[in-house]
Amino acid sequence: MSAQIMQDETDETDETDAKRVYWHSRRGMLELDLILMPFAEQVYPQLTAPDQATYKRLLESEDPELFRWLLGHGSTDDEQLAAIIDKILSHAQQPQR
């Protein structure tokens, strides 16, 4: 298999993954959607593989937990989740582009 074909397959896999993550970032709570969806679309594709995995793990959390963490009403004891939450909140505080 040529290097170009392998790269094309990797690009398609990355694009499919990004679309799947964007879809799972839609939570059904407007407050969460307004924070998570722009992050998933604009930042997730540039994250390192470990940070992408942590973001996916974050999405496995229940909406009330996410709401509490992302709106500053509580925090997680998981250091990796706390770090990705900090990145999400930092992105959410930036002026819209």
Side-chain angles (χ1 to χ4, degrees):
M1 197 179 278
S2 77
Q4 182 60 42
I5 291 172
M6 290 176 64
Q7 182 62 43
D8 290 346
E9 288 177 0
T10 300
D11 291 344
E12 287 177 15
T13 302
D14 291 346
E15 184 177 328
T16 301
D17 179 60
K19 287 179 181 179
R20 183 174 294 120
V21 166
Y22 180 78
W23 177 255
H24 287 290
S25 296
R26 296 182 66 196
R27 304 304 292 199
M29 291 180 79
L30 179 61
E31 296 88 343
L32 295 178
D33 290 350
L34 292 174
I35 295 171
L36 293 175
M37 292 174 69
F39 182 85
E41 182 177 39
Q42 298 165 9
V43 179
Y44 176 83
Q46 285 77 42
L47 292 175
T48 64
D51 281 348
Q52 287 182 346
T54 301
Y55 184 75
K56 289 178 189 177
R57 193 162 56 86
L58 178 72
L59 294 178
E60 294 172 3
S61 302
E62 298 293 328
D63 286 356
E65 281 182 314
L66 289 173
F67 184 87
R68 192 170 60 251
W69 296 336
L70 293 171
L71 278 86
H73 300 293
S75 60
T76 177
D77 293 333
D78 184 312
E79 291 180 15
Q80 291 176 327
L81 290 183
I84 203 74
I85 289 168
D86 287 344
K87 289 180 183 191
I88 293 166
L89 293 176
S90 176
H91 180 263
Q93 293 172 355
Q94 294 177 359
Q96 294 297 320
R97 299 168 217 182

